[in-house]
Amino acid sequence: MILALRALGVGDLATAVPALRGLRGAFGGRPLALAAPTWLTPLIELTGVVDEVIPADGLAPWRWERDAPEVAVNLHGSGPESHRLLHMTQPAKLWAFASAPAGHLDGPTWNEEDHEVHRWCRLLRHYGVPADETDLSLRVPGAGVAGGATIIHPGAKSPSRRWPAERFAAVASALTAAGHRVVVTGSESERPLCEQVAERAGLGAAAVPRTGLAELAGLVAKARLLISGDTGIAHLASAYRTPSVVLFGPMSPKRWGPPDRPYHRSIWHGTRSEPGDSMKPGVHPALLAVTPAEVLDAAAAF
């Protein structure tokens, strides 16, 4: 077995797809298991390369009661905690970034400024495995979803990455007036925010669909346009080559932004990249500097 660790969220999984494809290409005859949250399974299946999902909740300890992996690959972080978690499986080999505290010295040096896709492909190349950083695609799920929607996604994990609801609503209203069929998406916990945006934009209740991960992926795959903050759904737009306008705050798009393609637009008014998941209240100033008018200008290109 080849075991990869990536126990994070939607965007984290999407940015690791080229590395996972590299592992599949290098070890085509061995089972490839991914340690990740089980709620991501519908999306993991869309990669088409993972044979088994090993339940993992971040870096919480686990019990490993199976044969040791041939290779354990740390696609989660720089260590030492994630390295130690994989060491518990007693792999024949550990592929990971160098971490003296974890006693792992043969990996490449971690570079905080790497783009997230490049980071994990660079790790594999250090161990002689080619990985194509442009290979971000996911399968389109079979779930029946109407195509052609313009998706407004106002939520994000941390307050600093959530553009104000009234600005999303202003964009949604203007796009609706211009003939777009606008839907507002989010997790179940974000539903009140989505309903607030829809109400302010003058949209009906049907504009806030309830979607599982597979349905959300299908909606993005068939969408006309996505407008969101720096969060997981933006990476689904990259995977499906769906036109997108992505609004950045604390984190630079050079670290987490969409690929350099003509159908993606990143808007950022920051000067330096900062940690993206601060739980302090308030929207990051760089994100607050983004106006509805410039979002609509960017959307007009599609």
Side-chain angles (χ1 to χ4, degrees):
M1 173 197 289
I2 309 303
L3 173 64
L5 172 66
R6 187 69 166 164
L8 296 161
V10 170
D12 307 280
L13 172 65
T15 53
V17 166
L20 291 170
R21 292 236 167 86
L23 289 173
R24 169 54 76 209
F27 298 103
R30 284 85 141 186
L32 175 58
L34 178 63
T38 54
W39 61 267
L40 276 175
T41 298
L43 203 58
I44 293 170
E45 291 174 347
L46 298 179
T47 69
V49 297
V50 174
D51 298 301
E52 181 182 3
V53 178
I54 306 293
D57 181 12
L59 296 177
W62 55 17
R63 294 183 64 184
W64 187 260
E65 298 177 338
R66 55 177 73 201
D67 293 341
E70 178 182 346
V71 183
V73 187
N74 188 348
L75 301 179
H76 188 97
S78 60
E81 295 87 351
S82 50
H83 289 38
R84 291 170 180 157
L85 194 63
L86 287 172
H87 272 303
M88 291 171 56
T89 69
Q90 300 183 321
K93 297 177 183 178
L94 174 65
W95 290 0
F97 283 99
S99 172
H104 182 77
L105 304 178
D106 81 334
T109 302
W110 178 270
N111 179 4
E112 193 65 33
E113 297 306 312
D114 274 348
H115 189 282
E116 194 70 5
V117 174
H118 173 71
R119 183 192 312 286
W120 306 113
C121 292
R122 179 168 71 87
L123 172 67
L124 293 195
R125 288 194 286 264
H126 175 84
Y127 290 101
V129 172
D132 180 357
E133 296 180 22
T134 67
D135 192 5
L136 296 162
S137 63
L138 296 171
R139 293 174 175 171
V140 178
V145 175
T150 289
I151 302 170
I152 300 289
H153 191 91
K157 182 177 179 181
S158 62
S160 62
R161 289 192 281 137
R162 293 184 204 130
W163 202 45
E166 62 271 17
R167 299 191 194 182
F168 273 116
V171 169
S173 178
L175 290 176
T176 300
H180 290 243
R181 180 173 64 84
V182 174
V183 298
V184 186
T185 62
S187 66
E188 194 60 32
S189 65
E190 293 168 341
R191 191 165 183 83
L193 172 62
C194 296
E195 291 173 344
Q196 178 187 357
V197 170
E199 182 178 0
R200 283 176 175 264
L203 306 176
V208 188
R210 278 190 162 90
T211 58
L213 265 184
E215 291 82 7
L216 181 64
L219 190 64
V220 174
K222 299 175 183 179
R224 173 179 179 176
L225 173 66
L226 167 73
I227 298 175
S228 77
D230 169 25
T231 192
I233 196 171
H235 300 283
L236 297 184
S238 296
Y240 291 119
R241 298 174 179 261
T242 296
S244 65
V245 179
V246 187
L247 318 182
F248 286 81
M251 188 69 72
S252 165
K254 290 183 178 180
R255 296 274 302 278
W256 280 90
D260 186 15
R261 294 171 176 165
Y263 38 86
H264 300 306
R265 297 284 189 276
S266 297
I267 301 178
W268 187 54
H269 294 302
T271 56
R272 64 184 180 87
S273 200
E274 301 176 28
D277 284 326
S278 169
M279 299 312 291
K280 295 179 181 178
V283 183
H284 191 275
L287 188 53
L288 278 178
V290 177
T291 66
E294 65 183 314
V295 173
L296 290 167
D297 285 344
F302 306 118

